[in-house]
Amino acid sequence: MIFSLDLLTEAVIFGVLLGCFYAAVSIGLSVSFGLLDVPHVAHPAVMILGSYFTYLLANQGLDPILSGVILMPAFFVLGVLIYRFYYESFEKRGSEAGVRGLAFFFGLAFIIEIGLILTFGVDQRTVRAAYIGSSWELGDYRIPYRMLVAFGVALALTLALTIYLSKTFIGRAIKAVAQDQGALRLMGANPVRIKQWAFGIATAVSALAGAMVIVVGPVEPSMDRLYIGRTFCIVVLAGLGSMTGTLASGLILGISESIVLMFFGASWAPAVAFGLLLVVLGIRPQGLFGR
Amino acid sequence: MPLAKERGKLLMGNFSFQVNAKVQHDMYFNNSPWNDASSWSDGFFAAGKKAGAKTLAVLAADNDFAQNLANGARTLAEKAGIKSVFDQNYPPTTTDFSSLIRAIRAAKPEMVFVMSYPNDSVAIIRAVNEIGVGSQVQLFGGGMVGLQFTPIMSTLGSLLNGVTNYNSYVPGMKYPGIEDFLKRYAAKAAEAKVDPLGFYLPPFNYAIGQILERAITATKSINDKTLANWLHANEVHTIVGPIRWGKDGEWANARVVQAQFRGVADKDVEQFRQPGKQVVIYPDAYKTGDVITPFEKARSAK
């Protein structure tokens, strides 16, 4: 093992960038699972679907991140439809049916994966942009631009969602629906509509996260499986439904993973992520930022 | 394999790796340019040694296949007296390789042998271009799966320059009949919307048909045992060169190509049809040029 302060600094810088990326791919799940209690295991698959649509738009000459933004309204509608189906078929029928909803989301993930294989094949897809494959040289440090872009987008996304959830009427209603649906109904609001709207937002955010995934690296149809454990780990570590908590736990995971990768061996990295989760849940079962 | 052995059937392998090592079915014939684990990296180490490299970094995916090949590389390094200064396996869940590439740079190796899968290969090549591996590195690459596939080659484009990696065939190699085959393939590939270049696997698939055709014509039989006996006793000439098999059904003489990417431009699939974009540095009989070292110099070479 080679250790130096320079290497440690670089590991932390890479970790911060990686952590923000992790937070960005988890933030949609933080809304759907953390706030709405929907067992949305298809979240990474929807995100990879976003990556493939980004690939299509980027091939027409659009910037990948801009493509992700353009896709957001369509994914919002997709999210509304998915939630409506889930609500009518499972959630409305009580908690047992809700558990069966888990099977629905697994099914949805498989359908998306198979659909992508049939449409695009199993080959890896990548995009090109000026900020992919080059880096910002800062003295002896070299920081990949693609990770800086992911970092910026993740910060913007977290900030936007935090402001939206705390400062707008619908945002507060989404938080309220997570706390007490009955009380919300007494206030004259329809919890199902609020949840539908929130699920739409979560899915729209997945489109942009998908764009970031294909900016950071190549994608293939089954790639959602790589993200399923990590995204749930971040959301649970944060404390369900906390946006700033999602960013913070993404950072914790990213920095610890980067340090382990650089100094102790890559094989230990996944164990560190889940080890951290176990330790935190042992001490604070509600997560780092949960109430 | 056990089922084929039990039923006494002739079985052709297609780019398999050591699948007959345990069962030892005497009617199995693999059609791939490698045989044992070391055969993948022979050429890479020969070139590295020639360039005077004395230290090595190994980065390999954490699974059986990659580990087998990485072990082959480690054995070759030990035999050649090349000292290992970095040796890590990465899990398949690795998202970003920046930290690993930075750690390799800190170890200051003179050769970097990478055994990776397609997604990882793309991410590693990008990270190498972003972070750099150090000016002392003579050779980079070796066993990166994916850099033979057209979509990946065209996407990475100029980022590939300087990388020396394994392959099965690249333009410029003088295999009788392969150019005619590739011409016919290209016309059909365009209609079928499949890999437009088809250098990596299609010639070997076609060669399997040639192998069976030669055996059946020579023996005038379709009996499995008769065909297997003939294949064990004879060398077969195909569009991927002459092939003779060992007892275990692998090629008796491995012919894994090590080629160096040079002068590759961005967004141009057709460029890969020209000889010279991947210069064959090994095996000697099929060489189309000499390896350029160090890696940094090779990246800007035409």
Side-chain angles (χ1 to χ4, degrees), chain B residues 37-42 44-45 56 58 66-79 82 113-115:
Chain B
S38 301
S39 64
W40 284 67
S41 40
D42 271 339
F44 189 78
F45 279 89
L56 168 75
V58 175
Q67 287 305 308
N68 275 335
L69 301 191
N71 284 338
R74 287 172 189 126
T75 308
L76 284 175
E78 210 179 307
K79 273 188 197 163
I82 295 171
F113 181 81
V114 184
M115 178 56 233

Side-chain angles (χ1 to χ4, degrees), chain B residues 198-250:
Chain B
F199 299 150
Y200 188 56
L201 273 165
F204 284 79
N205 295 341
Y206 184 84
I208 290 177
Q210 285 186 309
I211 292 162
L212 290 172
E213 185 250 312
R214 304 273 198 274
I216 292 166
T217 309
T219 59
K220 296 189 171 39
S221 168
I222 53 166
N223 177 275
D224 294 82
K225 189 77 191 158
T226 311
L227 294 173
N229 286 341
W230 188 88
L231 288 172
H232 271 302
N234 291 281
E235 184 173 85
V236 182
H237 290 266
T238 70
I239 59 164
V240 293
I243 305 168
R244 189 178 279 281
W245 286 271
K247 265 182 84 179
D248 59 356
E250 301 294 341

Side-chain angles (χ1 to χ4, degrees), chain A residues 2 7 10 14 21-22 124 126-128 132-135 140 142 144 146 215 217-218 226-227 230 258 265-267 270, chain B residues 62 88-93 95-96 98-99 102-103 105-107 118-119 122 126 129-132 151-152 155-156 266:
Chain A
I2 301 160
L7 274 181
E10 244 173 302
F14 290 145
F21 168 68
Y22 285 164
Q124 295 73 25
T126 53
V127 290
R128 290 193 76 97
I132 299 175
S134 53
S135 56
D140 280 346
R142 291 188 195 176
R146 65 188 160 86
V215 163
L226 287 186
Y227 284 96
R230 203 171 263 145
S258 180
S267 299
Chain B
D62 207 350
Q88 274 204 26
N89 306 323
Y90 66 85
T93 50
T95 313
D96 186 58
S98 305
S99 300
R102 182 64 188 90
R105 202 173 89 192
N119 265 11
V122 174
R126 277 181 177 171
N129 278 272
E130 291 162 347
I131 309 294
I152 290 182
T155 307
L156 286 174
D266 291 330

